[in-house]
Amino acid sequence: MAFHAHPDDEALATGGTLARLAAEGHRVVIVVATDGVVRDAPGAALRARLDELRASAAVLGASRVEHLGYADSGHGAELYPDPPGRTRFVRADPREATARLAEIIRAEQASILLSYDVNGGYRHRDHLRVHEVGRLAAQQTGVRLLEATLPRELTVRAYTALEWTGLVSGHNRQALQHGFTPRAEITHRLDVRGYARQKRDALAAHGSQLRKGRVAPLVRLLIRLPAPVFGLALGREYFIEPGAARTGKPSRQIIPPAGQG
Ligand SMILES: [Zn+2]
């Protein structure tokens, strides 16, 4: 089970891993905390983002998609008022969100929960909350927890390179210097280059995010890349398993293919 903040995070952060687990015979379930809509959206925009998520999930081979019912808190300085009928994720009681997630974990008898590292990756407030709720739900249910991340050194280098292209602007570099996880602490590094096509196509299913948003030009560039080239850029996915001692190199799989081991 993969727990994410917004529609499209499942593709970018864990798309290759989910496609690989599904291809290896595991049941894959995606849970998003929020609908991914920041501005007071008419119902159509809200449905569109969740429809995009379902299309992405189908590409990745996931069997079920659930939305915990919260609204996107946004990444700007201002936290907007709650939209009608929904609470922004950071305003919700984490215990209530944990109870909703734990119920799905128990119903699915999930063996693994994927969540986010202690920095919520790039420190979006909804991602930080996903980390918190993921930890609480794992404590309550006993499910094995792995937290998606990237090597911090790599993100800072990649970002600096992207600044030269003009596709991103420098004001996020400082956040990245305190984001993600130092390479030495990463416990799992999965080679998902063989699932680059699924990851790219899942990302492309989020059409609304290709038209607007700060990283839209970058994502538009990525999804036009041939799968092998895309795989070079985004063909490895990284996790930290809390409490697991790292000995030597990071592990290359999180669970054996179904029916083995
Ligand atoms: Zn997100």
Side-chain angles (χ1 to χ4, degrees):
M1 182 178 299
F3 179 39
H4 284 287
H6 313 106
D8 78 8
D9 291 323
E10 82 293 345
L12 205 49
T14 60
T17 300
L18 299 184
R20 174 172 156 184
L21 290 171
E24 290 178 350
H26 298 287
R27 177 174 166 85
V28 171
V29 175
I30 297 170
V31 180
V32 284
T34 83
D35 48 51
V37 178
V38 180
R39 302 289 183 131
D40 43 345
L46 199 156
R47 281 194 303 278
R49 288 223 59 186
L50 292 173
D51 283 346
E52 288 169 354
L53 172 62
R54 282 184 274 271
S56 163
V59 170
L60 298 175
S63 300
R64 179 182 172 191
V65 173
E66 285 293 329
H67 168 216
L68 287 191
Y70 299 106
D72 193 329
S73 308
H75 197 35
E78 187 185 351
L79 180 60
Y80 295 114
D82 290 339
R86 289 169 300 129
T87 308
R88 299 217 184 263
F89 190 35
V90 290
R91 281 209 193 90
D93 183 343
R95 289 169 301 184
E96 176 199 73
T98 301
R100 292 182 189 182
L101 180 61
E103 189 183 322
I104 306 171
I105 292 170
R106 290 194 182 101
E108 287 285 345
Q109 299 181 298
S111 51
I112 292 174
L113 180 68
L114 303 182
S115 177
Y116 298 153
D117 71 2
V118 68
N119 292 312
Y122 67 104
R123 306 189 68 81
H124 186 298
R125 51 193 159 205
D126 284 335
H127 288 234
L128 289 162
R129 183 53 64 86
V130 162
H131 164 77
E132 181 186 353
V133 169
R135 285 263 174 127
L136 290 169
Q139 279 167 15
Q140 284 184 16
T141 61
V143 71
R144 182 181 165 207
L145 181 67
L146 285 116
E147 297 175 332
T149 189
L150 289 168
R152 178 181 295 162
E153 301 84 346
L154 182 71
T155 62
V156 172
R157 274 210 311 278
Y159 197 87
T160 305
L162 283 169
E163 281 180 278
W164 284 89
T165 68
L167 287 168
V168 298
S169 63
H171 65 277
N172 284 324
R173 189 165 9 121
Q174 197 154 19
L176 285 181
Q177 280 161 353
H178 303 282
F180 295 96
T181 300
R183 184 185 290 278
E185 294 172 24
I186 286 171
T187 56
H188 293 73
R189 182 183 69 203
L190 271 63
D191 181 345
V192 294
R193 283 174 295 180
Y195 301 91
R197 184 187 58 76
Q198 288 93 324
K199 183 172 181 175
R200 183 196 63 190
D201 293 352
L203 198 54
H206 294 280
S208 64
Q209 300 314 291
L210 307 178
R211 291 188 289 274
K212 61 174 177 59
R214 282 176 308 147
V215 295
L218 175 60
V219 177
R220 279 202 300 271
L221 173 80
L222 286 172
I223 63 166
R224 284 201 305 265
L225 297 173
V229 181
F230 181 92
L232 286 177
L234 293 171
R236 286 183 184 78
E237 291 176 353
Y238 303 83
F239 299 89
I240 180 164
E241 183 166 6
R246 191 187 132 165
T247 49
K249 287 187 173 175
S251 176
R252 295 168 68 160
Q253 74 173 12
I254 56 179
I255 188 173
Q260 288 180 28

